[in-house]
Amino acid sequence: MNKYTYPKKKFDKKDVEFMYVFFDNGDFISLNGNEVVDLEISLYDRLIQNERGVCPVAESGFIKLIINRINKAIYNSVFVYNAKEYKKDRIAYIQNRCVNEGGITCVRLFDENNWHDTIYGNIVGEMDGEFLVLKFLSQPNFGSSKSENNVVMLNPIGKSIIENIFLDFENCEGFTIYDDEIIDIQLEFENELVWGSDDLLRNVKSGFIKCILDPEIDYRRIHLFDDGKITLKKLEQRLCGKKGQATHDICHLYIDYKFYGFGSKRRECIEVEDIRPDEEIERLRKLEEEGKYDYCADFFGGYCKRKEDGALIITFGKNAENLLKKLS
């Protein structure tokens, strides 16, 4: 099944802590949540591919803004080709950039937890008195907007299309495995996408990766909190523990696909959820909110085992333990 869905979101200005506006030359500006006066956004059914996830596209709507002279928000980043003009008069710059220069490709709305939604569309800026209004115009050939769900068709994942996979651990450590090291990979996904750090993501329901780390690879991307020399043994122990079998804390798979030409890549972030029962996870998260438990330090993404021939078996999903036994 290559079709994935996600319930359409209803956006509200009270949920916007800050936002970014992106332009077609790669520039972006940031706006504080108190600069958002009103917003109303309706979405097309179809989702589109972003840098690492998928995102909705606006069918109609607006974001009404009142621009302040200074953005006093903590997250007030800006990246523009004419920074002197921005610093000279922020209000005039943003109004001119959005209305006269145009080229807005998408907006990104952040909530109080810094989670975001990236919304693409045919976006134009207009002035309404003192207000700057970003309008989302319809795109007649983009398809329907009648469903309650967003939908996207995504490729099945197989060894032949993978260039490398970065194994991202819950504590922000990680390392890359490469196509020649992968013996087999089989991943089954939930039909519904999840909202993650890279917009909407596929979520592993079950599956495994079987690989053998190549000692000749000296260009491997590695990020481990270790002051000593990083050896293959340390990488294997990070996955399998000192006894050669353990639960792992992989929370994302960043897959670089072989794409349309030499040196070109397409990256997808895959969500890996905790394999423990939902009620247990909820209990632990409540303890974390009370300051009695560190959930991130005790994440269970599945199981891993090092076989006698050096092969590593990494399993995912609620059936990860049984799957490991079957593959061993």
Side-chain angles (χ1 to χ4, degrees):
M1 181 69 173
N2 299 329
K3 180 179 179 181
Y4 302 92
T5 64
Y6 189 77
K8 283 186 180 177
K9 286 193 174 182
K10 298 187 183 298
F11 301 99
D12 193 312
K13 79 177 188 71
K14 73 176 187 296
D15 299 324
V16 181
E17 193 72 16
F18 64 101
M19 64 177 284
Y20 291 159
V21 179
F22 292 90
F23 299 90
D24 55 12
N25 69 336
D27 285 3
F28 79 91
I29 56 173
S30 61
L31 297 157
N32 197 353
N34 63 16
E35 296 179 288
V36 180
V37 177
D38 195 11
L39 67 80
E40 184 177 303
I41 303 172
S42 297
L43 303 175
Y44 282 107
D45 298 343
R46 182 151 54 103
L47 296 164
I48 63 171
Q49 184 75 35
N50 193 10
E51 291 97 336
R52 293 181 290 197
V54 290
C55 306
V57 178
E59 181 269 338
S60 61
F62 65 88
I63 301 176
K64 190 174 186 180
L65 303 164
I66 183 73
I67 309 301
N68 299 325
R69 186 175 62 87
I70 299 174
N71 183 357
K72 296 182 179 180
I74 297 175
Y75 300 101
N76 58 1
S77 304
V78 62
F79 187 94
V80 293
Y81 74 89
N82 46 357
K84 287 184 180 180
E85 293 298 314
Y86 175 85
K87 292 178 180 178
K88 181 177 164 183
D89 189 337
R90 180 175 182 267
I91 296 175
Y93 178 87
I94 292 177
Q95 291 175 348
N96 179 69
R97 187 71 193 267
C98 293
V99 176
N100 298 320
E101 291 191 38
I104 302 171
T105 57
C106 64
V107 297
R108 183 168 289 172
L109 308 179
F110 293 83
D111 66 15
E112 62 181 358
N113 297 314
N114 297 334
W115 282 58
H116 70 260
D117 291 283
T118 304
I119 307 164
Y120 285 82
N122 182 10
I123 308 170
V124 298
E126 296 180 359
M127 293 303 301
D128 180 9
E130 63 179 335
F131 300 106
L132 169 62
V133 182
L134 303 183
K135 289 188 174 181
F136 298 91
L137 305 182
S138 65
Q139 303 177 66
N141 296 325
F142 200 79
S144 172
S145 59
K146 304 298 184 183
S147 175
E148 294 181 355
N149 294 317
N150 285 127
V151 64
V152 66
M153 304 295 291
L154 295 173
N155 57 288
I157 294 177
K159 172 178 164 56
S160 64
I161 65 169
I162 294 172
E163 185 164 298
N164 62 72
I165 303 175
F166 184 77
L167 307 177
D168 178 36
F169 300 107
E170 185 64 36
N171 69 339
C172 297
E173 293 184 311
F175 63 88
T176 300
I177 59 174
Y178 297 89
D179 54 348
D180 290 340
E181 298 179 300
I182 298 171
I183 300 169
D184 193 9
I185 177 171
Q186 294 184 32
L187 299 176
E188 179 185 355
F189 299 102
E190 301 284 359
N191 292 331
E192 186 171 299
L193 302 169
V194 295
W195 186 36
S197 57
D198 293 285
D199 295 294
L200 300 177
L201 310 174
R202 283 195 275 191
N203 181 27
V204 177
K205 181 179 181 179
S206 177
F208 68 90
I209 300 171
K210 186 177 181 180
C211 62
I212 295 181
L213 301 184
D214 184 351
E216 298 299 317
I217 292 179
D218 57 5
Y219 50 82
R220 190 186 309 277
R221 181 187 169 198
I222 301 172
H223 183 205
L224 294 185
F225 304 132
D226 192 310
D227 295 331
K229 182 181 178 181
I230 303 298
T231 63
L232 236 56
K233 183 178 179 180
K234 286 185 178 180
L235 297 182
E236 292 176 348
Q237 286 183 350
R238 182 61 184 84
L239 276 169
C240 307
K242 293 183 179 180
K243 294 182 178 180
Q245 180 172 329
T247 57
H248 67 71
D249 62 333
I250 298 171
C251 59
H252 297 101
L253 302 172
Y254 288 94
I255 300 180
D256 283 347
Y257 296 108
K258 297 171 183 175
F259 212 38
Y260 54 78
F262 180 77
S264 62
K265 294 181 182 178
R266 181 187 140 201
R267 175 168 292 183
E268 180 180 5
C269 177
I270 303 293
E271 185 84 3
V272 177
E273 292 192 337
D274 199 305
I275 64 173
R276 288 172 289 187
D278 294 341
E279 57 272 16
E280 175 66 5
I281 294 172
E282 185 62 26
R283 184 185 72 82
L284 294 174
R285 283 180 172 163
K286 286 181 179 179
L287 288 176
E288 183 180 44
E289 291 173 1
E290 298 169 2
K292 301 176 181 177
Y293 179 75
D294 187 354
Y295 180 73
C296 290
D298 195 28
F299 180 86
F300 287 12
Y303 286 83
C304 188
K305 179 177 180 178
R306 185 187 188 279
K307 299 182 68 178
E308 290 185 3
D309 62 0
L312 305 177
I313 301 173
I314 309 168
T315 61
F316 307 94
K318 301 294 186 184
N319 65 335
E321 188 172 13
N322 290 333
L323 188 55
L324 183 68
K325 292 175 182 178
K326 181 179 177 181
L327 293 169
S328 298

